[in-house]
Amino acid sequence: MTPVESAIHAFVEAQAEAETRFLAEIVKVPSDNPPGDCDPAAATVARLLEGLGFTVERHKVPDDLVKANGMISATNLIVRSRFGQGGPTIALNAHGDVVPPGTGWTHDPYGAEIVDGWMIGRGAAVSKSDIATYAFAMLALDKCGAALHGAVELHITYDEEAGGEIGPRYLLGQGLSRPDLAIGAGFSYAVVNAHNGCLHLEVEVLGRSAHAARPSTGVDALEAANAILGALYGWRGGLEARTSAVPGIGSPQMTVGLISGGINTNVVPDRVVFRLDRRMVPEENPAEVEAELRAVIARAAGLHPDAKVAVRRILLAEPLTPTPAGAKLTETLCRRASRVMGEPVAASGVPLYTDARHYAEAGVPIVLYGAGPRTIEEANAHRADERLPLADLYKATEVIALTLAELLGA
């Protein structure tokens, strides 16, 4: 090891218990989204960061904007560290909001219990762990003994589960940060430089209610909706042939994840509403994807002309694609991760969508890397008993610190 590498390794090793306690305190504070009342969680993180010696900027999102995005409260946090003169500004983004625990847990979802070297709790892997990863990597830079040039910013946001509009997009759009490069939360065994996009559509089918004894006097919204759903599911089978050329992405997907309607068992349903999720591979054009879906829906709706059908876009998340400007960042992370993890760590894509797209849309090259096991399944991400191997937390912290040091001139 070089002196810089040795210093970073020694610091991370010495701070392992402190980093574990830091993460545990974050996991213990609920930040479920929905409902999205995340100010208490942000206050806890800010206090803990200040306890580490950081100056923390609190950027509370206006209430009307928070409510418009389906949340109750949100405060974004920024920590800035400057090293020497000149050099790039590198942003590190992790989100502190999490999906609700749901059922099936065998441990307290807010207990941060450690079992056989794994921390168990909602957000332990996605992505409260990387708040700890990035914060302690920044601390390690102060101890590496190198003459660095540039700045590192920690962006902690609280709306990733709601789309990131009032988190990363807000910070960048308001000019609160203007980074040259960015790293977003990820897992330890892959450097992610591409991910899917996502389109959410809401389909509303309106009919006319009637007594179930005389259904012909009404217009059955569920019957019309069933025709549309059948058409969508039939069309979905063709997506398998559209495989992405990006490793790890696979094919586009379509899921109808939410449906409601009807008045009572003995009443012809007058309204049915459902929402669909269409995952887009990096090669797809979002406008063309939406147009194709709307055409499938319109053709099926035409079979029931007495029903009225309206389609509304709920979410459009652009795919993340590899860029030449992010090549050095990707190569550095892969090389450093391979050395620390003791096995090859390569760049790949994931079939998810993340807040990375907001940085990419703002012209900031970004890749994903952070603490976590090999797969989201192994982490129980978004499932009961979400968990994180603490060994990966410490290794990812070292990888991030080494990467930052190299990019800042060490």
Side-chain angles (χ1 to χ4, degrees), residues 140-167:
L141 290 183
D142 285 326
K143 307 298 182 180
C144 75
L148 305 178
H149 298 278
V152 179
E153 296 182 353
L154 175 55
H155 298 174
I156 304 172
T157 54
Y158 285 88
D159 72 327
E160 197 272 349
E161 304 297 348
E165 298 292 324
I166 58 175

Side-chain angles (χ1 to χ4, degrees), residues 230-255:
L232 286 169
Y233 284 123
W235 166 85
R236 181 174 69 173
L239 294 177
E240 295 180 1
R242 308 182 190 182
T243 305
S244 173
V246 179
I249 293 289
S251 301
Q253 305 291 331
M254 194 282 293
T255 300

